[in-house]
């Protein structure tokens, strides 16, 4: 097991270096002169001596005057000590802006991922055990409809219907806490945050839940059709024992593998959800940084998102080895 984990950990470093180098190169080679756009210089104004000097100083300040490889390694050296530079939008350290927004996005995504697995696994099991029943057909249609709905449309619809539009006023329009919430006692503050997170979590969760529930149903149906399950039934074991002791664990293996792809999807979906609900997380920060061409913030968010994704893959690998003994045996070989 330790040998298997060591191999996975050693793979993270070169993978991250490759991702960060490609991202840095794409940002540097993207069309458009960020420096002149930042200074608002276009046309003839861009050719004056003062403008050229200002743009050169701007390029030197952000390391844009050096070759890509040199600039990349200088940026990488600063990033190792968590020095992501200064935001071009407001002049604040990028690390400070990340420290404010990262916990919000992590909380949003962890809650969503836990809900996805807690809801989808029982729903998939019930649907598989009641195959071709009325419940199975109705739930299948409902899950297909949910999976096909775009998250931005669902988010706007929830705001219009449940947040003081033309219908109900049950939830806040946006934000993470109410005004003056800092003075609340802890239990009221927690309730206020939960109240603000209901609609964003629903928007972020329903797509993954619909997909995983259908995936769980298909996996369980495949497992319970295997010969060893038929043999267990022939020996007179009860249905619940056959399903939950012999079939359930094997049907989890593909779901654990999918965790590595769900986390990046949730992080990407945060950009849409946080923008719709005005949540000050990494997604909204990334959206504003792209609009203002704030390169230090864009690079910092891309690097942190890549590292979080790699950590998610590592967690999936660890859980994969837990549910599948063959992985541990191959590592010992």
């Amino acid at each position: 097991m330790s040998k298997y984990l060591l191999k996975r950990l050693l793979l993270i470093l070169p993978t991250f270096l490759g991702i960060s180098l490609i991202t840095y190169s794409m940002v540097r080679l993207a069309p458009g002169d960020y420096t002149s756009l930042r200074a608002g210089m276009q046309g003839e104004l861009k050719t004056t001596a003062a403008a050229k000097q200002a743009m050169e100083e701007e390029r030197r300040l952000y390391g844009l005057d050096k070759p890509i490889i040199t600039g990349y390694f200088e940026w990488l050296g600063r990033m190792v000590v968590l020095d992501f530079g200064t935001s071009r939008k407001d002049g604040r350290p990028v690390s400070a802006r990340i420290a404010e927004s990262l916990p919000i996005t992590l909380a949003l995504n962890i809650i969503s991922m836990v809900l996805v697995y807690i809801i989808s696994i029982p729903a998939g099991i019930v649907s598989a055990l009641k195959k071709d029943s009325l419940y199975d057909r109705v739930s299948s249609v409902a899950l297909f409809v949910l999976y096909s709905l775009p998250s931005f449309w669902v988010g706007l619809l929830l705001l219009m219907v449940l947040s003081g539009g033309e219908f109900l006023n049950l939830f806040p329009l946006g934000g993470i806490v109410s005004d003056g919430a800092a003075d609340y006692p802890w239990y009221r503050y927690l309730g206020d945050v939960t109240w603000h997170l209901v609609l964003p979590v629903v928007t972020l969760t329903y797509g993954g839940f619909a997909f995983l529930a259908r995936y769980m149903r298909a996996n369980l149906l495949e497992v319970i059709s295997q010969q060893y399950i038929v043999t267990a039934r022939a020996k007179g074991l009860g249905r619940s024992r056959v399903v939950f002791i012999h079939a359930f664990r094997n049907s989890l293996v593909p779901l654990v593998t999918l965790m590595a792809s769900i986390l990046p999807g949730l992080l990407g979906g945060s950009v849409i959800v946080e923008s719709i609900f005005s949540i000050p997380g990494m997604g909204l920060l990334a959206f504003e940084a792209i609009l203002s061409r704030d390169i230090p913030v864009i690079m910092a968010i891309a690097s942190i998102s890549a590292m979080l994704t790699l950590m998610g893959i590592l967690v999936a690998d660890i859980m994969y080895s837990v549910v599948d003994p063959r992985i541990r045996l191959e590592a010992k070989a």
Side-chain angles (χ1 to χ4, degrees):
M1 183 70 175
S2 57
K3 188 177 177 183
Y4 172 76
L5 290 179
L6 182 61
K7 284 182 180 177
R8 294 299 170 185
L9 284 171
L10 291 177
L11 279 175
I12 287 180
L13 182 59
T15 307
F16 177 77
L17 290 176
I19 293 173
S20 59
L21 177 58
I22 292 172
T23 307
Y24 184 86
S25 302
M26 289 176 66
V27 170
R28 286 287 303 268
L29 296 173
D33 188 343
Y34 299 119
T35 307
S36 60
L37 289 173
R38 164 72 178 169
M41 297 172 184
Q42 296 295 326
E44 294 181 357
L45 182 62
K46 190 176 171 181
T47 61
T48 62
K52 287 181 179 178
Q53 184 179 356
M55 286 190 293
E56 285 303 319
E57 290 177 357
E58 184 87 359
R59 289 193 181 96
R60 253 194 318 274
L61 179 62
Y62 293 102
L64 301 176
D65 59 330
K66 297 172 182 172
I68 289 179
I69 295 299
T70 305
Y72 168 73
F73 280 107
E74 288 185 358
W75 169 82
L76 188 64
R78 293 194 301 272
M79 194 206 65
V80 170
V81 294
L82 301 180
D83 178 10
F84 295 106
T86 304
S87 171
R88 301 175 73 174
K89 183 179 179 182
D90 56 11
R92 294 178 60 203
V94 175
S95 56
R97 301 190 68 186
I98 295 290
E100 293 171 358
S101 58
L102 182 60
I104 298 172
T105 299
L106 282 181
L108 195 63
N109 283 276
I110 290 173
I111 292 172
S112 177
M113 178 172 278
V114 170
L115 287 177
V116 164
Y117 275 86
I118 287 178
I119 299 172
S120 62
I121 290 177
I125 291 174
V126 173
S127 186
L129 295 180
K130 296 184 177 181
K131 183 187 176 187
D132 296 333
S133 66
L134 178 63
Y135 170 83
D136 182 37
R137 292 174 182 175
V138 172
S139 64
S140 297
V141 172
L143 292 174
F144 276 125
V145 171
L146 282 177
Y147 186 62
S148 64
L149 297 177
S151 58
F152 70 89
W153 183 80
V154 172
L156 293 174
L157 184 67
L158 290 174
L159 278 179
M160 187 178 71
V161 175
L162 299 176
S163 295
E166 299 179 358
F167 302 97
L168 303 175
N169 188 16
L170 301 178
F171 297 98
L173 271 174
I176 193 74
V177 292
S178 303
D179 293 337
D183 299 327
Y184 292 171
W186 68 268
Y187 55 86
R188 188 178 173 190
Y189 183 85
L190 185 62
D192 188 68
V193 172
T194 305
W195 182 47
H196 281 76
L197 286 182
V198 170
L199 296 186
V201 168
V202 169
T203 307
L204 203 57
T205 302
Y206 75 90
F209 148 67
F211 171 70
L212 270 188
R214 294 298 302 165
Y215 205 74
M216 181 68 201
R217 176 187 179 276
N219 287 334
L220 190 59
L221 285 176
E222 182 180 352
V223 171
I224 61 179
S225 65
Q226 299 291 318
Q227 194 62 41
Y228 70 95
I229 297 293
V230 177
T231 304
R233 284 177 173 169
K235 286 182 176 179
L237 296 179
R239 187 184 186 189
S240 58
R241 183 175 177 82
V242 170
V243 171
F244 293 105
I245 302 298
H246 296 280
F248 178 64
R249 186 170 178 173
N250 289 331
S251 66
L252 283 181
V253 176
L255 261 67
V256 172
T257 310
L258 279 178
M259 182 186 291
S261 61
I262 289 178
L263 182 59
L266 289 175
L267 289 172
S270 296
V271 176
I272 297 173
V273 172
E274 291 176 7
S275 300
I276 292 174
F277 293 97
S278 303
I279 296 176
M282 291 270 287
L284 184 60
L285 182 63
F287 182 67
E288 293 175 348
I290 292 171
L291 291 181
S292 60
R293 302 200 175 203
D294 197 344
I295 296 177
V297 175
I298 294 172
M299 285 302 304
I301 292 175
S303 303
I304 292 172
S305 299
M307 184 53 70
L308 289 175
T309 302
L310 292 174
M311 296 307 295
I313 293 173
L314 178 64
V315 172
D317 287 340
I318 293 172
M319 294 185 66
Y320 194 44
S321 66
V322 171
V323 299
D324 191 348
R326 291 173 297 181
I327 299 296
R328 298 195 294 273
L329 293 175
E330 287 176 3
K332 289 179 181 177

